Amino acid sequence: MIVCVAVVGHQNNPLYIQSFTEADDALKLHHIVHCSLDVVDERVNNPKKSGPTLNETFLGLLYPTENYKVYGYLTNTKVKFILVTTDLDVRDADVRNFFRRFHAAYVDAVSNPFHVPGKKITSRTFAERVSTIVKSFGLSSAG
Amino acid sequence: MDPANTPLGKMLLDEITPVVMVLSTPLVEEASLKNHLSFVQMLSPFCSFNNIDVPVRTASDQPYRLQKFKLRLFSASDIRQPNLEVAKERLKHFISQAGDKDDMFSDPPQISNLLASSESEIQPSWFQFFNKELVRTVSFSEHEAFDHPVACLLVVSSKDEQPINRFIDLFNTDKLPSLLNDGAMDPKILKHYLLVHDNQDGSPEKAAKILTEMKSTFGSNECQLLCINSSHDGPVERQDNPWAPYESDVSPSQCVGCFLNIDDSNEIKDLMQDLSSKHVIPYMEQKIRFLNQQVSATRKGFRNQIKNLWWRKGKEDAVDSPDGPMYTFSSIESQIRVLGDYAFMLRDYELALSNYRLISTDYKLDKAWKRYAGVQEMMGLTFFMLDQSRKEAEYCMENAFNTYLKIGSLSQQNATRCGLWWVEMLKTRDQYKEAAVVYFRLCSEEPLHSAVFLEQASYCYLLSKPPMLRKFGFHLVLSGDRYKKCDQIKHAIRTYRTSVSVFEGIMWGHIKDNVHFRIGQWYGILGMDDLAVKHMLEVLACSHQPKTTQELFLRDFLQIVQKTGKTFEVLKLQLPQVNISSLKVVFEDHRTYASPAAATVRESLWQSLEEDIIPPLSNIRTNWLDLQSNSKKYKESNVCVAGEAVKVDIEFKNPLQIPISISGVSLICELSAGSDDASSSTVELQNDDDFKNLITNRDMSSDNVSFTLSEVDVLLGGAETTVVQLTVTPKVEGVLQITGVRWKLSSSVVGFHNFESNHMKKKNAKGRRKSKYSRSDNLKFIVIMSLPKLEGFIHSVPEKLYAGDLQRLVLELRNQSEFAVKNLKMKVSHPRFLNIGNQKNLNSEFPACLERKTSSDPSCVGDSSSSLSQNVFLFPEDTLIQEGTPLLWPVWLWAAIPGDINLYITVYYEMADISSGMRFRTLRMHYNLQVVPSLDLSFQISPSPSRLHEFLVRMDVVNKTSSESFQVHQLSSVGHQWEISLLQPVHTIFPSQSLMAGQSLSCFFMLKSSRKSLTSKDKISTLSPVLGSDVGLGPEDSNQPLFDVSSSPLADFHHYERLHQEMSPQGDPNAVDFVLISRLLTSGDSETPHLFSHHACHCSTSNASPISWQVDGPQTLYHDLSASLCEINFRMIIYNSSDAVASVHVKTFDSVNTGGHLSEGTSSPSGNQSGWHWHDASVEKDIKVTSDVIGARVRKSLSLESVTPFVWSGTSSTSIQIQPMSKTEIPLQICVFSAGIYDLSNYVLQWNLLSSEGPESLEGTRQSSGTCQGYPYYLSVLQSS
Amino acid sequence: MGREVSESCVDSLLTEMVSSYCDRFYANKPDLAARRIEAIGFQVGLQLSERYTMERPRFSDHLEAIKFICKDFWSELFKKQIDNLKTNHRGTFVLQDNRFRWLARMSVDPSPENGDLSQDNPPAENKAAQATSMHLYFPCGIIRGALSNLGIPCAVTADISNLPACSFVVRIKA
């Protein structure tokens, strides 16, 4: 299942971070997301690692922590999406699909004229949309 | 670079070297212990050689020379697997020691210079030692041969009796370490015999004798003599003591190796050199050859390969114990391993590698995993030392590592060692990131070790190119948590503090707060409270955190603070937040305020109110500023008066969702008495938080003689914002500077905030309230000597009252100081509402004093009008307000109109003694009244058709209140030219004497105009004295006196009311004012009766149609109709009330119905006067209302069906011209043929105004032409007998 | 999915915005008005670029980003691409739209002699030119917003030498 999703601005400032666990490990997840930024930077700065998928928005598996898998997605506008999941066999397609929908949701959220660019996303509709996406991710990967 | 010189290389050349087992007799130890050294320790420093330069041949006869070489000496007792628990204990102890070393107070390193500095500088030095210790915990395992002793050094003292036998039984198996006994290694090893002679026991002859004996027994070149302790003259002092490392475990008093002089050490050196070069190395070399032949015999060559393979397959289904089958030293596998290790130790890495390769496959096939892993490990190291194919090397290390882990906890230590070597390998190749990962994988269930590993991992991330700071921080935090778990708090703090530098200034509040909070907590545990508080403060204002977290933070913070017992003083404490922009200063120089409400009123408003009562600004300056020495600087600073409080409003905001209690909020002030340079001030306040400084300051303020501060306590609810008013009262003259505000958070932490720091912001904020002269600094006050200050208030001002309510209130002015004040003036913003009475109606009875006097007393009217002249009220010259004798003065309050009324009153007064700092001051009062509607009064006036200069006044009164009921008392018309009178007795108008809530009433009065000709001029001029005519409307039985509307205050109020209701610039000539006076019917006449007066001004008397007429003639007459028809003459008098010439045209009709039909088109000039005809017919006779005619006549015409009509004889139509304001009359005549009652209403009167000059003035008030239906006029003709 | 707006609406909205800022809010402070309008454009560009760069690989260099502006971004906005892109390879790009929609309805006499605004012009034409340039701050802001959101800080100016052609000059801040 997806444990945590996050949107990180182009100055590596958290725009939105939401954990989907009952356990009180918000801090840990914050740390994990925060660390994953290092990997994102790495991937972006020396793209030879990413090889064929040059400059693709989807960064793939960033790094496996002890029992999480962290996936990353970097938009053209240097906004990072981070996905932390616990299930160990995730189909790439699922993750890509997830990120695409997540990105769409994000775009709609920030296109709101009342949203101040670079500030935290507080829109409730966005939160709801994200949670539905997360749920559906669980289903699709199960099926 | 040469791998041998890399850290790992050095480590290997250190650790993987031939082991020499030392067996010594107690006497030997005893001898060496004189130097506080064990025998092994004594020898060890001389066991490593940097250029021993020994020629060696490889198995394949390649000659090469060994330069670096080292022997590892162990006494037999130490040659065994070290006890894990002991090792752990030692490490733990060691770590905590290291923790105590590093200081907790230095500032955490900045990330920038962390990046700048190299690995060795960043990392704590003890990491290396720690790793080494960990590596050593797995030495002497039987599955790897490089720890197996290569040679054995048998040592016997010359004091032993039968040293030869001693030699023999030294090496008997039961004393030997298990390695040799359980067949893990070959018990037949190289033996070397050493005889130790202690020179302090006399000359070495005996020893020499024994030596020869030994030589004969054990062979000549296997035996040697070593003489020690040969320094006879006391302890030897030597620089660079080779035994320095061992000093740690002896008390510093006795120096190590004190009896060993230079000869001894040389001797030892030679001994070891000889041992290694002449014995150990050649022995190993030859053993390598031997083993190599063995191996190639059994394993090299294709046949052997196959055989071996097949044989292994055969062994496939053998029992596989966790570490595979048991291999004795004789087994080919162990021999290969030994061969490999020996080759490794002699730097013949190719040979070593080939053998390792060979054996690893075997072990793999045999599933001897531990051995397999061990071999893989060695392969990796060999690759490294060969400096070829990094991939291979790393692969091998990883493989070994995983294999060890796979085996399970038994070989956890091996895994650790392997990992450490692997890490070193990666570091050597600058693959810090990978190294970090390996460190991470090293973390076991052993938390302490994991902590250290994580910390090392973090530094790897820091060192990796490019540095991965976030991971650096994260791993520091992880390791910190681990440290905390095994309460190595100091280490925990160290790691966290380092991580702070990473998380500084990022927006991940959740992380940052946690770090600071933990550090604070832990410092608290260590009792280093200042630091704890310092860090806790960082997280106090965590509005972004969930409520529970906020509670936690605050609670712990307070706990720590309370634990310390002392109160902390914190500059810019974030709890609560001080909203500087809300800063608002209220001070009183010459402007004083009666109430806080008054102080909040816009300054400009007061100024406009005061402008004509205070002397112009310039001479204020000259008056009181010149008393002070240099008036230049005073211009830009405020002035306040000693003994009078300066009030400061400031806003506190609680950022948290939990309530916080703040106590002792007060200002921080400096008052420099006398001269005004701040340097000589009582307290100098820096912006840094220097504690003592502030504490002294606090004490100062508490018992300060020069000023007093108010203290306020607030409880701020969650996310609440409150405005606190603080005051400082200077007591002496000088310069008062308000520098900041202080408060106490839950009575433990004192926070304070300096206003100066954000000077600019505050200035903008205060710009609003700035008064006349602009100031650069709003918080600096010139304190001048104390002055009289009036306090004033009006007693019992109602908040809520009904419109029209007239009340007499008392204004009280007190003067606290001993100086008197004089020249009082007073001005009111709304004279329409508030009016200054005069002294005499203070003591007279309230409603009574308004009643009409028999002789209206001119003085009262007089001075009231004089005070009105310019609406500044001058108190009599002689009024002097002394201390303790308040001045009472009556004021009249009248609620003119409904609504929310702000009354501004300002009182100007001057000091009796000119010497004082100011000449005058003003007292500003502000009251707010809410006036609710009571009676709604409206008048309609229409000229009476029958009488000229008489008007019918219709008064509509509606009681708008919800509950109150009023009793109408009197109606007065103002102005001497009007006279109002009742039409019918009062009780008919008011069946019930009172007007209930919501009830409405309309009634009619007669208004007479008692002037002959009128021009607008004299109308205006005849304003005062306003005399009027009144009609009492009270119940007749109680003949209450009428009130005098022509005297103050009613007259005054009426005056303002007139001014206010003025519609057209020049008064309408025929306008009339009415005053309705009523009282509130209060159940039980408890308090003073409320008196209401409602004023309706400028009610126009001019009718819509300027033409009025009246038919004059006989009402009844007798006539003998049988004799002749009867002719009757009438005359019609027509009055033109307009100021234009009117042409009038009168038509008569002979038939009723035509008149009826005609009456349709008639414009009924003055509209809705229905309801009038309720009143009895008598009225109907003499006054006709036009529109009523139709109704009336219809009624009549029905009743008069039978009557034969009359005919208009005489002219059937007449037209005439009428001059303005004049009347004419025309004759009319009818013929009647039979007796009866006739209604002569069937005529119309058409008029239009010719040459109406100034039509615009007439616009709207009347139309310029019209048609009027005739009035009914009843004529009854009777048959005369 | 993509909701659409009638072009006339957008046109009149733009005109209304410009007029209200120039004539009402900041009358007689034209530069201030210009800045405000440009700022509005900036945010619009920011958000539009966020949307239009979905589903496309990241740009490796500035030129790619500029090309994106010229091709896809422009056609999303105006149903046409930039007609001509020039660059001096030192951070200055000139994007020319031969018939810029938002000026198409602008009744400025496109005669050549009022092309160079610096030359002697009767004030009337000058005025007209000013009014026109007011309408150009919005698209300038859009371009700047889009680019800076793509991590390219720059300054954008517009040049209407020969209407209705309009060329936007992008100077990338090194």
Side-chain angles (χ1 to χ4, degrees), chain B residues 718-743:
Chain B
E720 191 187 332
T721 305
T722 54
V723 173
V724 179
Q725 182 172 71
L726 307 168
T727 68
V728 53
T729 313
K731 292 188 192 153
V732 300
E733 295 176 58
V735 172
L736 175 70
Q737 177 81 47
I738 302 181
T739 54
V741 61
R742 64 166 58 251
W743 65 91

Side-chain angles (χ1 to χ4, degrees), chain B residues 1017-1074:
Chain B
K1017 317 292 156 300
D1018 61 5
K1019 173 75 170 77
I1020 296 303
S1021 63
T1022 60
L1023 183 144
S1024 62
V1026 275
L1027 306 164
S1029 64
D1030 313 324
V1031 178
L1033 296 175
E1036 298 107 333
D1037 50 1
S1038 69
N1039 47 2
Q1040 288 151 321
L1042 299 178
F1043 293 103
D1044 181 3
V1045 297
S1046 63
S1047 70
S1048 119
L1050 281 176
D1052 305 341
F1053 285 126
H1054 182 74
H1055 166 66
Y1056 289 114
E1057 201 58 22
R1058 272 190 69 83
L1059 294 180
H1060 189 267
Q1061 293 183 13
E1062 193 82 56
M1063 45 192 64
S1064 60
Q1066 90 278 24
D1068 176 1
N1070 359 347
V1072 60
D1073 304 349
F1074 295 102

Side-chain angles (χ1 to χ4, degrees), chain A residues 6-8 11-14 17 26-39 41-42 45-46 49 63 65-66 118 120, chain B residues 433-434 440 461 465-475 477-478 481-482 496 502-503 506-512 514-515 518:
Chain A
V7 181
V8 181
Q11 288 156 325
N12 290 335
N13 50 328
I17 176 161
L27 178 63
K28 185 176 187 177
L29 291 171
H30 273 72
H31 269 298
I32 289 176
V33 173
H34 188 233
C35 285
S36 60
L37 296 180
D38 268 334
V39 191
D41 291 353
E42 189 186 16
N45 293 338
N46 40 6
K49 278 224 175 60
Y63 71 104
T65 60
E66 53 269 42
K120 280 190 157 55
Chain B
K433 196 144 42 62
E434 293 74 5
F440 192 84
Y461 280 121
K465 299 272 172 298
M468 304 180 105
L469 294 179
R470 302 183 186 85
K471 290 198 169 193
F472 171 57
F474 183 33
H475 286 77
V477 167
L478 287 178
D481 294 341
R482 295 274 202 306
Y496 263 72
V502 178
F503 299 129
I506 63 169
M507 288 167 229
W508 296 71
H510 204 292
I511 297 175
K512 212 192 317 180
N514 177 268
V515 170
R518 291 259 172 269

Side-chain angles (χ1 to χ4, degrees), chain B residues 1217-1235:
Chain B
Q1217 300 244 335
I1218 310 175
Q1219 292 309 309
M1221 305 289 176
S1222 61
K1223 56 183 164 188
T1224 72
E1225 64 180 65
I1226 55 171
L1228 292 174
Q1229 186 181 56
I1230 61 165
C1231 299
V1232 186
F1233 308 103
S1234 62

Side-chain angles (χ1 to χ4, degrees), chain B residues 966-1015:
Chain B
F966 292 86
Q967 185 203 30
V968 183
H969 180 76
Q970 91 180 50
L971 176 66
S972 310
S973 70
V974 182
H976 63 301
Q977 67 275 42
W978 297 104
E979 206 171 305
I980 191 158
S981 58
L982 280 170
L983 274 177
Q984 65 253 72
V986 175
H987 59 81
T988 55
I989 310 177
F990 300 117
S992 71
Q993 291 297 337
S994 69
L995 197 56
M996 297 305 174
Q999 189 184 3
S1000 76
L1001 158 94
S1002 61
C1003 57
F1004 291 83
F1005 299 92
M1006 172 70 81
L1007 183 67
K1008 272 201 184 55
S1009 161
S1010 61
R1011 72 197 146 151
K1012 304 295 138 284
S1013 75
L1014 41 117
T1015 64

